[in-house]
Every structure is written in C-alpha cells, then in structure tokens.
Amino acid sequence: MTVTAVEAPERPAHRDPNVLRWLGAYTASMVGDSIYFMALAWAAARTGSASGTGLVLAAGSIPRALLMLGGGVLADRLGPRRVVIGSDAARAVLVLGLAAVLVLTAPTVGVLVAVALLFGAVDALFLPAVGALPARISPPGQLARIQGLRGLAARGASIVGAPLGGVAVAAGGPVLAFATAGALFVLSLPLLLGLRTRPPAGPVRHGGKAAGDHEERTVTEERPTARQDLVDGLRYIRRHPLLGPLMIVIGLSELGFVGPLNLGLILLSEQRGWGAAGMGWIVAGFASGAAGAALLIAVRGRVPRAGLVMCLTVLVGATGIAAVAQIPSVPLAAATAAVVGLFIGLAGALCGALVQTVADPAYLGRVTSVSTLFTYALIPLSYPATGAAIALWGTGPVYAVSAAVCAAGGAVGLTFTALRRAELPR
C-alpha cells in the first residue's frame, strides 16, 4: 500500500512566531524612528536658528538619496538579516551617543547635522534590507499578509511614536527622547537575532522560465564588483515583465501623492483657516483608511487579480486627492482623506507583495532599494517645487496636477498586460 505524503498547510503569518519576532523588531525600530525625528526637530529648534533647523531636518535625505541603491547591493551580498541587525545596532549607538553628548553640552547645528547625515546613511542600508527580509522568513503565500502586518506596524508607530516623543521631550528634553529612541533600537536586536531565515522560494515564473533568470556563473568566474552588481540589478528590473512596470507605478503614484499629503496639506489648512487641529483630523482620516487597508490585507492574505486591483485602486485614490482641495469643511475632508488612505494603502500593500513574490531572490535587495528610493529619498526633494507651485497657483490647481500624476501611475500600469494579469501566490 502506497502512502501519499500530504504537504502541511502554511502557517498564517500572524500565527508564525518567526514572523511575529520580525514584526516586533520592525515595530520597535519604527517607533524609535518617530521619536528620533521628533527629538531631532526639537533639538534643532533649540539652537535658535531657523535656517539651521531646516538644514538639520533636510540633511538626512542627502545620504538616503546617494546611498540607497548601494544599500540594496549590500543586502543582496551579505543577506538582509545581517544588514538590518547591523543598521539597528549602528542607529542605537549613534542616538545613544548623541544623548550622552547633549547631557554634557547644548546642541549645535554642526553636531546635529553630522548626526542626521550619519543616521540617513544608516537608513539607506536599513530600508532596502528590511524590505527584502520578509521573503527570507515566510513562504510566498504569506507575503501579502506580511505586507498588511507591516503596514499596520508602520501606522501604529506613527500614532504611538510622535506622542511618546513629545512626552519624552516635555519630561526630559531631547536627551530623554534620544535615549528612548536608542533603547527601542536596542530592543529590536534580540528579536532580530532570534529570526530564523531560509533561502526564499524562487520568483513567479512566466512561460516556464523564471522572469529575469540570470546565467549561473562558473566556479572560476570572479565575483563581480559592487558597481557591476548595481548595474546588473538595474538591468534586471528594466527587463523584467512585471518589475519594470511596477517601478513606474510606484514612482508616479508616490510623486503625485506624497507632496499634497505632507507639505500641501499644511498650506491647505492655513489657507482654509482649519489650523493645526483641522490638519490633524485630516491626517488621522488618512491614517485610519490606510490602517484599514493594511488590516484587510493582513486578514485576507490574498486579493484576486492583484495587479489589476492595484492599478484601479491607485486611480480611485487619485480622484480623492483632487477632491480634498475642493472640500470646504474639515469633517468632509477627513472622510475623503480616509477614502484616499484606504485605496492608496491597499495599492501600496499589493504592490509590495507583488514585488516580493516576483523578484528573483538574488536581486530582491536591489529591487527593494529602487522602490524605496522613490519614497524615502527622491520624493521629499520635490517639496520645494510643491511649495513654490502652491505659492504661484494655489492649492486647487496643484492638487489637481498631483492627482493627475498619481492617476497616471495607475493608468500606465493598466497598459501592461503582464501587470493587469498578475496574481499573488495561493
């Protein structure tokens, strides 16, 4: 009698201790990030120089933009777990060291700029690696659920981190806030050290061959340089039937969305007389919608026709962006922002899950670095242009143009047959 082996079902991500360790470390690190930026802003303000404060807050974006792609190369060479552990350890040392310095002396613009530059450089290594890590701790069928859990952690960190940072600053000044952020980075380390990683499953295949399969190198072939690895990764993305279109969608949708949400909303609230409280309600509306999208993905684990749904949700979210600037009342604007957060958040989670599942594991760090580059490094550089455009033409036209750019991301995505038909693994 022949006994047929039955493959054990996958353990859901939210019940997997390994995933929960990663989630706990990621959450601690994100809350530490929020507190660090709050403390940095207050310490910069205490220098008494408005221009110096702006310089301190902008300094971190420079190394992120310059080093992000290199961070992806490093994640692929060393493995994302090692890079994430090293990055959090470096951030802990840096922030706790700054707290110690501020015990002895008042903050200066020079010291704070130096710390911001170093923190940004470490972030450029951390962000691609932490994005590439889920594929090493979970099977492909759970990656969409992990993206939902990651989204919930990020939203929760924003909700908890800013008030906690404010309380720390009020109780003990920037010193206590920096010390709290450093302690959270330290807290993430034992959780990361306890992670069990495995070689990720291969990418989704097209036509019987893995999309973007590279030729195996012979034993005698020399290891490529970091620059060659970077060029190889960019070429891989460009030639991939799904990753190239996904990067276009990410770039356009982020460009049209981030400016109005961050800088544009401040200026819109001032023009409408909504004040900081009104702006807070609108931001809370967006956050609640995005959290709802993350929860939906975390619970369902899979959305049919993921590529098509992702593009359509970008289009719906873009319509909401244009509407926010035309709404006269805070409650209605907050409700509209919640709709925007729901659809844009769902699109982001699906996009992240598709990137995780279709990318060749050997390239995942570099692929993540390119997608992260748009969000965390290049898009913030558009803030001056957004501010200047609003000063010239007002919020309505600028929001309309931003919405059109965001919608263009979804529309362009729909033109690629492979993306429209893309599915997440079961």
Side-chain angles (χ1 to χ4, degrees):
M1 180 177 179
T2 302
V3 178
T4 304
V6 178
E7 186 177 349
E10 291 181 358
R11 178 181 291 179
H14 61 282
R15 296 179 182 174
D16 187 339
N18 204 40
V19 172
L20 294 178
R21 279 191 289 271
W22 167 83
L23 185 65
Y26 178 74
T27 303
S29 186
M30 290 297 100
V31 175
D33 261 349
S34 296
I35 296 173
Y36 159 77
F37 285 113
M38 169 73 74
L40 187 69
W42 275 99
R46 288 191 176 185
T47 64
S49 169
S51 60
T53 301
L55 180 62
V56 170
L57 296 181
S61 63
I62 298 172
R64 286 191 196 96
L66 295 177
L67 302 177
M68 188 76 73
L69 297 181
V73 172
L74 192 66
D76 285 336
R77 285 189 158 219
L78 301 181
R81 177 177 172 271
R82 290 181 181 178
V83 177
V84 171
I85 291 173
S87 300
D88 265 356
R91 295 198 292 183
V93 171
L94 180 63
V95 175
L96 291 175
L98 177 59
V101 168
L102 295 184
V103 169
L104 303 175
T105 183
T108 65
V109 171
V111 169
L112 295 177
V113 166
V115 170
L117 288 170
L118 290 172
F119 196 93
V122 177
D123 256 2
L125 307 182
F126 172 81
L127 291 168
V130 80
L133 193 54
R136 304 290 181 116
I137 62 173
S138 181
Q142 295 300 314
L143 288 175
R145 185 170 273 124
I146 289 181
Q147 291 301 311
L149 293 172
R150 183 182 178 186
L152 283 173
R155 297 301 164 196
S158 297
I159 294 170
V160 173
L164 185 58
V167 169
V169 169
V175 172
L176 180 58
F178 282 125
T180 304
L184 286 165
F185 293 137
V186 171
L187 176 63
S188 73
L189 295 177
L191 295 171
L192 292 169
L193 290 169
L195 281 182
R196 299 187 308 273
T197 58
R198 55 184 167 184
V204 174
R205 295 177 176 264
H206 302 272
K209 183 179 180 180
D213 275 350
H214 55 285
E215 296 180 0
E216 294 185 2
R217 296 185 176 90
T218 63
V219 175
T220 58
E221 188 175 349
E222 292 183 0
R223 183 183 178 93
T225 65
R227 182 180 180 280
Q228 289 170 332
D229 273 347
L230 175 58
V231 172
D232 188 32
L234 295 176
R235 185 181 296 118
Y236 167 73
I237 293 172
R238 180 173 59 84
R239 294 176 176 176
H240 196 285
L242 283 179
L243 290 176
L246 280 170
M247 295 304 135
I248 295 173
V249 174
I250 292 171
L252 289 174
S253 58
E254 289 287 344
L255 181 62
F257 171 71
V258 175
L261 177 67
N262 292 343
L263 178 62
L265 189 54
I266 296 172
L267 300 177
L268 178 65
S269 298
E270 288 182 351
Q271 291 181 5
R272 296 290 173 85
W274 292 341
M279 176 183 166
W281 281 109
I282 297 171
V283 172
F286 166 78
S288 64
L295 181 61
L296 174 65
I297 293 294
V299 172
R300 285 187 58 87
R302 184 178 183 274
V303 174
R305 303 295 297 273
L308 177 62
V309 172
M310 182 198 72
C311 294
L312 293 177
T313 50
V314 169
L315 291 172
V316 176
T319 303
I321 291 172
V324 168
Q326 307 300 326
I327 294 173
S329 68
V330 170
L332 190 54
T336 305
V339 174
V340 173
L342 176 65
F343 283 93
I344 295 294
L346 182 58
L350 292 175
C351 186
L354 285 170
V355 168
Q356 291 278 325
T357 54
V358 305
D360 188 315
Y363 290 100
L364 191 52
R366 282 163 285 180
V367 172
T368 306
S369 73
V370 173
S371 62
T372 308
L373 180 69
F374 290 114
T375 306
Y376 289 94
L378 297 183
I379 299 303
L381 299 178
S382 68
Y383 291 167
T386 301
I390 290 177
L392 286 173
W393 300 300
T395 52
V398 172
Y399 265 72
V401 171
S402 297
V405 173
C406 185
V412 169
L414 290 173
T415 65
F416 292 94
T417 302
L419 184 52
R420 289 199 311 273
R421 297 177 178 176
E423 295 277 9
L424 293 171
R426 294 183 181 276

